[in-house]
Amino acid sequence: MLKKSLTLVAAGIFATSALANDLFAPEDAVEYRQALYQVMAAQMSVMGGMAKGELAFDREEFRTRVGNLGKVAPMVPETYFPATSEVEDSRLSSEAWEDMEGFQEKGQAFGQALQQLTQAATAEDFDLAAARSQVGNLGKTCRGCHDDYRED
């Protein structure tokens, strides 16, 4: 189930959705989006802490965090629709809306990196070295999107 969800994430994360526009008021969608990203950041913090040696590496705990990301990430795309571009509290830059193809490519790169991390984490021989490499790759996709499309 997790791998199927991640395939969907890799194929379409950050794709705008007309349906979402009908489900959420723009302000609510932005608040929802920010909450999802907080959950994702918390998971990355634990995994990054393990990868950096700041936290003891615990394979099962790491796998739990990867699974949590896999559950939350597929929810993100429904929070992106054009009406959210007018929400004052949104940190998404106007460049994302002007370059939706590039923005979606960044989301797809994240989805693919998350899928690779999930596959690695489920391997019987998954260890700290693999965790470091995979978390690093996933983090690069996060930074790539933040650098290009996030206002601070």
Side-chain angles (χ1 to χ4, degrees):
M1 178 66 172
L2 179 58
K3 288 182 183 180
K4 185 176 182 180
S5 295
L6 291 176
T7 300
L8 294 173
V9 170
I13 197 166
F14 302 129
T16 59
S17 168
L19 178 61
N21 196 18
D22 294 335
L23 296 176
F24 304 106
E27 295 79 9
D28 294 341
V30 169
E31 187 175 326
Y32 174 31
R33 177 191 313 156
Q34 292 169 345
L36 291 171
Y37 282 133
Q38 286 179 340
V39 171
M40 293 169 72
Q43 305 315 300
M44 286 294 293
S45 177
V46 172
M47 292 186 304
M50 287 184 191
K52 294 175 187 174
E54 296 166 356
L55 297 172
F57 180 71
D58 179 324
R59 182 179 321 175
E60 292 309 312
E61 185 62 33
F62 193 96
R63 287 175 174 158
T64 296
R65 301 303 169 163
V66 172
N68 291 347
L69 275 178
K71 292 173 187 166
V72 173
M75 294 182 234
V76 172
E78 70 184 1
T79 70
Y80 286 98
F81 52 91
T84 63
S85 67
E86 303 300 319
V87 176
E88 193 172 315
D89 290 338
S90 176
R91 294 173 66 191
L92 184 65
S93 71
S94 61
E95 286 83 10
W97 297 106
E98 295 164 9
D99 180 25
M100 187 51 64
E101 186 177 321
F103 182 60
Q104 289 176 342
E105 287 173 4
K106 299 281 186 174
Q108 290 170 354
F110 171 83
Q112 290 166 352
L114 180 54
Q115 188 171 23
Q116 291 169 353
L117 173 60
T118 300
Q119 289 172 346
T122 58
E124 205 171 298
D125 62 346
F126 183 68
D127 61 7
L128 180 56
R132 284 184 176 139
S133 172
Q134 294 296 324
V135 168
N137 290 339
L138 186 62
K140 287 177 188 173
T141 68
C142 295
R143 281 188 300 282
C145 193
H146 292 187
D147 290 348
D148 292 346
Y149 301 114
R150 181 175 161 187
E151 293 179 351
D152 291 319

